[in-house]
Amino acid sequence: MESFDLYDVNRNKTGKTLERGNKVPEGLYRLVVHACIFNSEGKMLIQKRVATKSGWSGMWDISSGGSALAGDTSQQAASRELLEEIGIDYSLEGIRPAMTIYFDGGFNDIYTVNMDVDINSLQLQPSEVAEVRWATEEEILEMMKQKEFVLYKSSFISLLFFLRNHNGAFTHKDPTKQK
């Protein structure tokens, strides 16, 4: 049975774990990770969840994602999910997430990676991923309208595309500061 580390509100490990399928206790949090792969054309690698997957079955989703297992760092979990789900062996050690989104019961670290990948050479996890393809921001937003893509907020998808080439939210250095 898989278990997850539990964290306090300040993201410190509590020493407690939770088995998959159980509700996160009030005041504690678990860690979820996502990695978004973008190619040199600015397209995101997306995956279609298998029809038998619990939750969002048969729908398209961002490159990879899942829960960090007990003992995982955020980077280890994101690297593991990339390898397990779509066969990309890429280390995120030493890389900070592009952003962290808080949700009831957890932290969701999201990584953006720029890399050209031959999708025909990927080893997909048959129990989770039916297929992969490259998609533009506009294609993903249209897929969401058609309810073919996991129903994220459209601004979240746009933010992912923005973050693929930016470190932070500022587009320029502060002009009021001396050089």
Side-chain angles (χ1 to χ4, degrees), residues 32-37 44-47 49 61-67 77-88 92 108-111 113 128-129 132 152:
V32 174
V33 296
H34 283 90
C36 300
I37 305 294
M44 184 193 298
L45 181 64
I46 60 175
Q47 63 159 284
R49 298 165 66 88
D61 199 355
I62 58 181
S63 306
S64 71
S67 296
S79 295
R80 179 179 39 76
E81 290 294 335
L82 275 172
L83 183 58
E84 285 179 1
E85 290 185 0
I86 56 178
I88 294 176
L92 289 160
N108 189 350
D109 285 350
I110 300 156
Y111 295 85
V113 178
E128 297 216 15
V129 181
V132 294
Y152 297 106

Side-chain angles (χ1 to χ4, degrees), residues 6-176:
L6 291 173
Y7 299 81
D8 67 17
V9 70
N10 295 312
R11 201 169 168 153
N12 298 307
K13 282 187 182 180
T14 63
K16 298 176 183 176
T17 60
L18 179 75
E19 287 190 8
R20 181 179 290 282
N22 292 322
K23 186 176 181 341
V24 177
E26 186 72 29
L28 296 175
Y29 306 89
R30 67 186 182 100
L31 177 61
V32 174
V33 296
H34 283 90
C36 300
I37 305 294
F38 291 92
N39 68 13
S40 56
E41 296 175 4
K43 294 180 179 181
M44 184 193 298
L45 181 64
I46 60 175
Q47 63 159 284
K48 187 171 188 181
R49 298 165 66 88
V50 295
T52 56
K53 183 102 173 108
S54 173
W56 309 106
S57 56
M59 295 182 82
W60 289 91
D61 199 355
I62 58 181
S63 306
S64 71
S67 296
L69 302 177
D72 278 348
T73 64
S74 173
Q75 294 86 353
Q76 289 167 336
S79 295
R80 179 179 39 76
E81 290 294 335
L82 275 172
L83 183 58
E84 285 179 1
E85 290 185 0
I86 56 178
I88 294 176
D89 189 4
Y90 185 80
S91 175
L92 289 160
E93 285 303 313
I95 297 173
R96 292 188 309 161
M99 68 177 144
T100 299
I101 297 177
Y102 306 107
F103 63 94
D104 289 341
F107 305 97
N108 189 350
D109 285 350
I110 300 156
Y111 295 85
T112 57
V113 178
N114 292 306
M115 142 189 330
D116 286 315
V117 175
D118 175 8
I119 61 173
N120 296 316
S121 68
L122 297 178
Q123 297 291 327
L124 307 182
Q125 185 177 28
S127 63
E128 297 216 15
V129 181
E131 61 183 291
V132 294
R133 65 172 267 220
W134 292 105
T136 64
E137 178 181 352
E138 293 75 22
E139 289 171 323
I140 292 171
L141 294 175
E142 183 58 32
M143 293 168 82
M144 288 170 57
K145 285 181 189 171
Q146 302 300 320
K147 297 192 175 22
E148 298 171 353
F149 201 95
V150 171
L151 300 177
Y152 297 106
K153 295 191 183 303
S154 58
S155 55
F156 170 69
I157 297 299
S158 295
L159 183 58
L160 290 174
F161 276 85
F162 169 79
L163 288 173
R164 79 183 192 278
N165 288 322
H166 294 85
N167 185 6
F170 294 104
T171 58
H172 296 88
K173 299 240 185 254
D174 182 349
T176 65

